[in-house]
Amino acid sequence: MSKLTGNATIRIDGEDIPTERGATLDPGGSNREVQMSGNRVFYREEKQPPRLQATALATEDLDIIALGNITGATVLFEADNGQDYLLSNAFTTETPELNSGEGQVRLSMAAESIEKI
């Protein structure tokens, strides 16, 4: 029997970022656009970087200004099913938005590369 992922732990440069359930990790790769010419099928590739999205908890220790200025970071995405991924040269792609009513901060990142560890 195999375990499904339910939660993930996110560490940015070794610092644990408390997050809500539902973080997403897109490993990137190639998007392919299909084109037909007569009876032949062709495709064009567009490279996509690895991306991570999460909802961080707005604790007293979380600095949303620092979070928005992340560049060149090492990010570890640890899934609770034992699959861990290392994102290299990661950076925030959007300013983190604080929702004070929910105690949450939106976190969006991309990276130069990803590897399963």
Side-chain angles (χ1 to χ4, degrees):
M1 181 165 30
S2 296
K3 182 178 180 181
L4 296 174
T5 297
N7 291 306
T9 301
I10 297 171
R11 299 182 203 287
I12 301 175
D13 288 336
E15 182 182 344
D16 186 12
I17 305 296
T19 58
E20 291 280 340
R21 183 179 176 140
T24 62
L25 178 65
D26 176 349
S30 296
N31 283 344
R32 293 180 184 90
E33 178 185 333
V34 178
Q35 184 155 355
M36 293 282 298
S37 178
N39 291 329
R40 295 181 63 193
V41 178
F42 300 91
Y43 66 90
R44 181 181 358 253
E45 288 187 337
E46 183 179 346
K47 296 292 184 187
Q48 299 296 313
R51 293 186 177 274
L52 176 146
Q53 291 191 330
T55 301
L57 300 176
T59 65
E60 61 189 23
D61 298 326
L62 188 70
D63 181 348
I64 65 168
I65 295 172
L67 207 57
N69 290 321
I70 293 173
T71 58
T74 299
V75 177
L76 183 59
F77 184 97
E78 298 175 313
D80 64 352
N81 68 351
Q83 293 190 356
D84 300 337
Y85 297 90
L86 184 69
L87 290 88
S88 299
N89 291 321
F91 51 93
T92 48
T93 58
E94 297 176 16
T95 56
E97 184 177 279
L98 171 62
N99 179 331
S100 64
E102 299 294 324
Q104 300 173 337
V105 177
R106 185 184 64 227
L107 175 62
S108 298
M109 301 186 81
E112 186 175 282
S113 63
I114 187 172
E115 66 178 286
K116 186 176 178 183
I117 55 172

